[in-house]
């Protein structure tokens, strides 16, 4: 018996190795080593901001429809062709299209359907987050509603009724079978937005859609025209306590039913995603792909394959696990702290060096002053005499400069006096026309007299120079005779 047990154990171990071997080898593939990326709280809040304050019945249909983005686009194109149809007629006419019941219910709300189709990236993010973790999405909706309640936003909501059950905020229509779509500014209704790097998504509606403004201007909500529900609409609701959506039979849901009645009904069951309505659209992560047995590679795998094709097999796979992201963030934070500490230490050392240099300078100055005090009187007198000489030198030089400047100014004044007198004489001539001739004659005579005087002065100067030259040899002869005698 023991040998049989041992043999069975060996066989089980061998089979387990064979079973586990493909998964182990699969981990060596860089494509399969991609872990599941989870949306952060900031990303979820950013995506859910424009719809978190919608009524619960409409919000359930939006979340379900976001998991089927291709059918959303098809339904929006079909609805644009038949814009003249009313809500009930449009839903009944599109029943043979084979679309999901939530997409059929959204045909009555063309504004919402157009937003889901136009902003397709946002729709895919919403659907991926809802398929990845339904409970986190519902929890994020409740946090946003709590944030709006703290900002006193629900005081202005006229067409919707807000109730709190077990600390969960439920939004329902005031008129049971008339649903209004609220229009609000996501940057205002939630008060202070905590995630600065992830601002909330803000929708701007085109002017062709009618919007009903409130009676008072302080309201934060505007409303589209109300939709009268007379078709299959009330077949889904939130089970807030368990954090999932509950669905009932949708063929007989054309009358209003509260969320309690839908959740506690006999045929109620948890909503399950149907891959057939996905129409071949790739899932985001490998775990969701494996959950719904999809053979198409996920969007993350296609991105990794593209990077491998571009950079070759040497491309390192990207690890997207939350644990690794946290580790990388902690490492970066620790590096920043180490750099900050190192910079603080360097600054403190630099400050200490500066303080030491200052103290040494002060000590040198103090020692120099002490030495100067203890020197003898002679050195002190010499020091004073040198100071006096230095102080008197610039004073004397300034006096000399001033005397030279005064002498030059007097010479200039003397030289300019005859020139100025002639100018004054020219300016002071009489203005009468009769005496012009006399004045001209007088001036000519004066000029001739001045010329004569000038010539006489030159002749006298020449005579003086000649006499001086004649005297100079007579004086030099006795001096020469004296030198010879010596």
């Amino acid at each position: 018996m023991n040998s049989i047990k041992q043999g069975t154990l060996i066989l089980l171990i061998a089979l387990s190795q064979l079973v586990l071997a493909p998964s182990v080898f699969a981990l060596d593939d860089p494509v399969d080593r991609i872990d599941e990326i989870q949306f952060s709280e900031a990303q979820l809040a950013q995506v859910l901001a424009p719809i978190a304050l919608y009524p619960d019945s409409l919000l359930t249909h939006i979340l379900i429809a976001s998991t089927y983005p291709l059918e959303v686009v098809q339904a929006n194109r079909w609805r644009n062709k038949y814009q003249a149809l009313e809500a009930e007629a449009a839903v009944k006419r599109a029943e043979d299209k084979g679309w999901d019941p939530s997409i059929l219910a959204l045909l009555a709300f063309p504004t919402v359907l157009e937003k889901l189709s136009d902003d397709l990236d946002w729709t895919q993010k919403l659907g991926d987050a809802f398929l990845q973790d339904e409970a986190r999405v519902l929890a994020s909706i409740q946090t946003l509603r709590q944030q709006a309640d703290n900002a006193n936003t629900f005081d202005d909501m006229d067409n919707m009724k807000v109730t709190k059950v077990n600390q969960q905020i439920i939004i329902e229509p005031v008129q049971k079978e008339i649903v209004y779509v609220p229009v609000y500014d996501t940057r205002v209704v939630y008060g202070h937005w905590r995630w600065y790097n992830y601002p909330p998504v803000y929708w701007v509606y085109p002017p062709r859609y009618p919007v009903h403004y409130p009676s008072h201007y302080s309201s934060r909500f505007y409303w589209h025209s109300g939709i009268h529900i007379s078709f299959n609409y009330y077949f889904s609701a939130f089970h807030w306590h368990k954090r999932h959506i509950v669905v009932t039979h949708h063929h007989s849901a054309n009358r209003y039913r509260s969320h309690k009645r839908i959740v506690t009904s006999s045929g109620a069951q948890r909503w399950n995603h149907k891959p057939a309505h996905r129409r071949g659209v790739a899932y985001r992560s490998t775990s969701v792909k494996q959950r719904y047995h999809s053979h198409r590679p996920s969007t993350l795998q296609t991105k990794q394959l593209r990077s491998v094709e571009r950079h070759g097999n040497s491309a390192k796979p990207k690890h997207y696990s939350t644990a690794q992201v946290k580790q990388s963030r902690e490492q970066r934070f620790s590096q920043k702290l180490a750099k900050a500490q190192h910079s603080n230490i360097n600054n403190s050392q630099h400050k200490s060096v500066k303080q030491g240099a200052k103290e040494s300078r002060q000590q040198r100055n103090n020692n120099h002053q002490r030495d100067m005090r203890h020197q003898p009187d002679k050195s002190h007198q010499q020091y004073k005499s040198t100071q006096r000489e230095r102080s008197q030198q610039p004073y004397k030089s300034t006096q000399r400069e001033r005397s030279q400047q005064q002498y030059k100014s007097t010479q200039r004044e003397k030289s300019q006096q005859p020139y100025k007198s002639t100018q004054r004489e020219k300016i002071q001539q009489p203005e009468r026309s009769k005496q012009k001739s006399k004045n001209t004659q007088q001036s000519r005579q004066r000029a001739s007299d001045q010329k004569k005087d000038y010539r006489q002065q030159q002749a006298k100067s020449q005579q003086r120079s000649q006499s001086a030259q004649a005297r100079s040899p007579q004086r030099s002869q006795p001096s020469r005779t004296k030198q010879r005698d010596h």
Side-chain angles (χ1 to χ4, degrees):
M1 294 293 290
N2 291 327
S3 62
I4 294 168
K5 289 180 180 180
Q6 290 176 357
T8 53
L9 287 171
I10 291 166
L11 287 171
L12 288 171
I13 291 166
L15 290 171
S16 64
Q17 289 178 356
L18 290 171
V19 170
L20 293 173
S23 62
V24 172
F25 288 115
L27 290 173
D28 294 333
D29 191 359
V31 176
D32 293 333
R33 274 186 283 176
I34 300 171
D35 295 328
E36 185 178 1
I37 299 176
Q38 291 186 356
F39 289 91
S40 62
E41 293 181 1
Q43 290 174 341
L44 288 175
Q46 183 184 31
V47 174
L48 292 168
I51 59 172
L53 304 184
Y54 279 18
D56 289 2
S57 59
L58 180 60
L59 187 54
T60 55
H61 293 312
I62 292 172
L63 292 175
I64 294 169
S66 65
T67 61
Y68 311 122
L70 188 59
E71 289 189 354
V72 168
V73 175
Q74 292 175 353
N76 182 49
R77 291 177 180 176
W78 184 87
R79 191 71 176 91
N80 290 329
K81 290 180 182 179
Y82 301 98
Q83 293 181 0
L85 292 176
E86 294 182 357
E88 185 179 0
V91 173
K92 288 182 179 180
R93 190 167 183 176
E95 285 179 355
D96 60 345
K97 295 293 182 181
W99 295 331
D100 188 79
S102 294
I103 290 175
L104 291 173
L106 289 178
L107 289 172
F109 303 91
T111 57
V112 177
L113 193 61
E114 186 174 1
K115 283 294 178 184
L116 292 174
S117 179
D118 291 343
D119 198 352
L120 198 58
D121 293 334
W122 174 86
T123 304
Q124 287 181 344
K125 285 181 182 179
L126 180 63
D128 293 334
F130 185 63
L131 288 174
Q132 189 175 12
D133 198 343
E134 185 178 354
R136 286 189 68 210
V137 171
L138 299 186
S140 181
I141 291 169
Q142 283 296 324
T143 54
L144 288 173
R145 289 183 176 182
Q146 292 288 341
Q147 192 173 349
D149 189 19
N150 295 331
N152 299 322
T153 301
F154 293 134
D155 296 339
D156 300 333
M157 189 174 282
D158 299 331
N159 296 318
M160 292 294 162
K161 181 177 67 174
V162 180
T163 57
K164 293 182 181 179
V165 179
N166 296 326
Q167 296 181 354
Q168 305 296 324
I169 296 175
I170 299 168
I171 301 175
E172 294 177 331
V174 175
Q175 298 178 2
K176 295 182 178 180
E177 293 183 354
I178 298 175
V179 179
Y180 290 89
V181 180
V183 180
Y184 55 87
D185 191 349
T186 56
R187 301 165 295 182
V188 177
V189 295
Y190 297 109
H192 176 68
W193 190 257
R194 293 184 292 173
W195 300 280
Y196 178 77
N197 292 325
Y198 295 90
V201 176
Y202 174 65
W203 283 350
V204 179
Y205 289 90
R208 65 178 179 272
Y209 292 114
V211 178
H212 298 282
Y213 295 93
S215 58
H216 53 285
Y217 293 101
S218 62
S219 179
R220 300 178 184 178
F221 288 92
Y222 308 101
W223 307 93
H224 290 291
S225 58
I227 305 300
H228 189 272
I229 304 300
S230 58
F231 51 90
N232 295 325
Y233 178 79
Y234 292 105
F235 57 86
S236 61
F238 288 113
H239 197 304
W240 290 112
H241 182 66
K242 293 183 179 180
R243 292 284 192 270
H244 62 256
I245 293 177
V246 176
V247 180
T248 61
H249 193 267
H250 64 277
H251 289 292
S252 60
N254 53 359
R255 292 183 181 180
Y256 172 77
R257 287 188 294 178
S258 63
H259 73 284
K260 288 182 180 180
R261 188 176 176 183
I262 296 171
V263 169
T264 58
S265 62
S266 59
Q269 59 182 355
R270 184 174 178 178
W271 172 80
N272 290 317
H273 176 68
K274 297 178 181 178
H277 293 288
R278 187 80 175 178
R279 308 277 179 166
V281 179
Y283 293 97
R284 184 169 179 269
S285 60
T286 55
S287 63
V288 178
K289 184 189 78 169
Q290 293 173 0
R291 189 192 307 166
Y292 298 109
H293 306 286
S294 177
H295 299 287
R296 187 170 181 176
S298 62
T299 56
L300 298 178
Q301 285 179 340
T302 54
K303 289 180 181 179
Q304 189 66 23
L305 286 169
R306 288 173 185 173
S307 65
V308 169
E309 288 176 357
R310 289 177 182 175
H311 304 287
N313 294 323
S314 62
K316 295 181 180 180
K318 294 181 181 179
H319 301 281
Y320 295 100
S321 62
T322 54
Q324 290 179 353
V325 171
K326 288 181 181 179
Q327 287 179 359
S328 64
R329 288 177 181 174
E330 289 177 356
Q331 288 177 359
R332 290 175 184 174
F333 185 69
S334 62
Q335 288 176 359
K336 288 181 180 179
L337 284 175
K339 287 180 181 179
Q341 290 177 358
H342 185 67
S343 63
N344 290 327
I345 291 166
N346 290 330
N347 291 326
S348 63
Q349 290 178 355
H350 187 62
K351 288 180 181 178
S352 63
V353 170
K354 282 185 177 181
Q355 288 179 357
K358 287 181 180 179
E359 289 177 356
S360 62
R361 287 175 185 174
Q362 289 179 359
Q363 288 179 358
R364 288 175 184 174
N365 293 325
N366 293 326
N367 293 326
H368 182 69
Q369 290 178 359
R370 288 175 185 174
D371 293 335
M372 292 297 293
R373 288 175 184 174
H374 295 291
Q375 281 180 357
D377 294 334
K378 291 181 180 179
S379 62
H380 186 65
Q381 288 177 358
Q382 291 176 357
Y383 180 70
K384 284 185 177 180
S385 62
T386 54
Q387 281 186 349
R388 286 176 183 173
E389 289 175 355
R390 289 176 183 175
S391 62
Q392 288 176 1
Q393 283 177 359
Y395 180 71
K396 290 179 180 179
S397 62
T398 53
Q399 282 184 350
R400 288 175 183 174
E401 289 176 356
R402 288 177 184 175
S403 61
Q404 289 176 0
Q405 288 178 359
Q406 290 177 359
Y407 179 72
K408 289 179 180 179
S409 62
T410 52
Q411 283 183 348
R412 288 176 184 174
E413 289 176 356
K414 289 178 182 179
S415 63
Q416 290 177 0
Q417 280 179 0
Y419 179 71
K420 289 181 180 178
S421 62
T422 54
Q423 285 184 349
R424 287 175 184 173
E425 289 176 354
K426 290 179 181 180
I427 292 165
Q428 292 177 359
Q429 290 178 357
E431 295 179 356
R432 296 178 181 179
S433 61
K434 294 180 179 180
Q435 294 180 357
K436 284 183 180 180
S437 61
K438 292 181 180 181
N439 291 328
T440 52
Q441 289 177 359
Q442 290 177 0
S443 61
R444 287 175 183 174
Q445 288 179 358
R446 288 175 185 173
S448 63
D449 294 335
Q450 287 178 359
K451 287 180 180 179
K452 290 178 181 180
D453 294 333
Y454 180 71
R455 289 174 183 174
Q456 289 176 1
Q457 288 178 1
Q458 283 183 352
K460 288 179 181 179
S461 61
Q462 287 178 359
Q463 289 176 1
R464 288 176 184 174
S465 61
Q466 289 175 0
S467 62
Q469 288 177 1
R471 291 175 185 175
S472 58
Q474 293 177 2
R475 291 179 181 175
S476 60
Q477 286 177 359
S479 61
R480 289 177 183 174
T481 55
K482 287 180 182 180
Q483 289 179 358
R484 289 176 184 175
D485 296 333
H486 287 294

